[in-house]
Amino acid sequence: VKVSKTSVDRSMSAVVVSDDHFPATQTFCEVSGLSDGFDYHASVVFANSVGYGDESPSSNSVSFTRNRSVRAPSVECSGANELVVTWSVPTDGLPPSSCHVWVVDALVPTRRLWDNDAGKLQPLHGAMVVKPMPAPLKKCTIHGLSTGSKYRVAITFQNDIGWSDPSVESSTVWLCPPGASPEKPVFTPLGQDCTQVIWTPPVDVPSVPR
């Protein structure tokens, strides 16, 4: 059995396993000690009393990597102190098993983990073990945030190789109520018993007023 590797950027390739001591009746083996950042494939050769045959075509390629194509999550305001975060699960590398959501306070700035089970953010000071969320999860609601602050969100994924780098941060959401002094509405009579009122929503916050 011969196992070969090629770096993800195709800059290098090498044979990592070459072993001719398997009995002919054996149909599988396990290969350990593989490295992050490489694509692996295998081939086999059989021998009899006359000698070795030709090497088989290479197997399918398996990417033995951390998740690298992690997209920025989407975030929107759902209340005075809440954000709803949604994201997609990366499909490159080995399948992810868990994920972390990072909340960035753009005004301080600080970056803290969201603990979905405990329903709170990692404190700014002091130790707190944050349990990762299962990777199939694609949405969470973050609450307990500060009115008037601006927030962005990033996400990381973990698979059997390790944790991915943080994603690009989401767009910024400003948790601020509508302005206290919106423009005055326009009152226009339409007939004997009917009128029309026209107004303009405030533009000082990105969230759509309710």
Side-chain angles (χ1 to χ4, degrees):
V1 175
K2 182 174 75 174
V3 177
S4 302
K5 68 178 182 179
T6 303
S7 59
V8 173
D9 61 7
R10 299 295 185 265
S11 63
M12 67 163 291
S13 60
V15 175
V16 294
V17 175
S18 184
D19 195 327
D20 60 355
H21 293 90
F22 295 116
T25 55
Q26 185 169 332
T27 57
F28 72 95
C29 70
E30 294 183 0
V31 180
S32 59
L34 305 183
S35 302
D36 177 27
F38 289 90
D39 294 334
Y40 289 87
H41 59 272
S43 59
V44 295
V45 176
F46 286 89
N48 58 19
S49 57
V50 177
Y52 283 95
D54 295 333
E55 183 177 329
S56 74
S58 294
S59 68
N60 57 299
S61 179
V62 174
S63 296
F64 202 78
T65 65
R66 295 176 296 151
N67 301 120
R68 299 178 184 276
S69 58
V70 181
R71 298 180 180 177
S74 299
V75 60
E76 62 181 16
C77 176
S78 64
N81 305 98
E82 290 186 351
L83 295 176
V84 174
V85 185
T86 56
W87 59 86
S88 59
V89 177
T91 57
D92 68 320
L94 297 180
S97 58
S98 56
C99 62
H100 270 316
V101 169
W102 295 83
V103 179
V104 180
D105 189 328
L107 298 181
V108 178
T110 58
R111 174 180 287 193
R112 293 187 285 168
L113 288 171
W114 169 250
D115 191 322
N116 205 49
D117 285 351
K120 60 182 179 181
L121 283 169
Q122 184 183 39
L124 285 173
H125 306 287
M128 174 180 171
V129 177
V130 177
K131 182 180 178 181
M133 290 180 282
L137 196 65
K138 298 180 181 180
K139 181 178 181 179
C140 72
T141 300
I142 298 172
H143 47 83
L145 302 174
S146 300
T147 301
S149 291
K150 296 180 179 181
Y151 293 96
R152 298 187 296 271
V153 177
I155 190 166
T156 56
F157 288 89
Q158 183 185 41
N159 62 16
D160 289 343
I161 308 303
W163 283 97
S164 70
D165 293 330
S167 71
V168 174
E169 294 175 358
S170 69
S171 57
T172 301
V173 174
W174 187 9
L175 294 185
C176 184
S181 300
E183 295 182 13
K184 65 180 181 181
V186 176
F187 196 80
T188 305
L190 298 180
Q192 183 178 3
D193 59 354
C194 182
T195 189
Q196 181 184 61
V197 181
I198 302 175
W199 61 89
T200 303
V203 296
D204 57 350
V205 292
S207 301
V208 177
R210 298 180 178 179

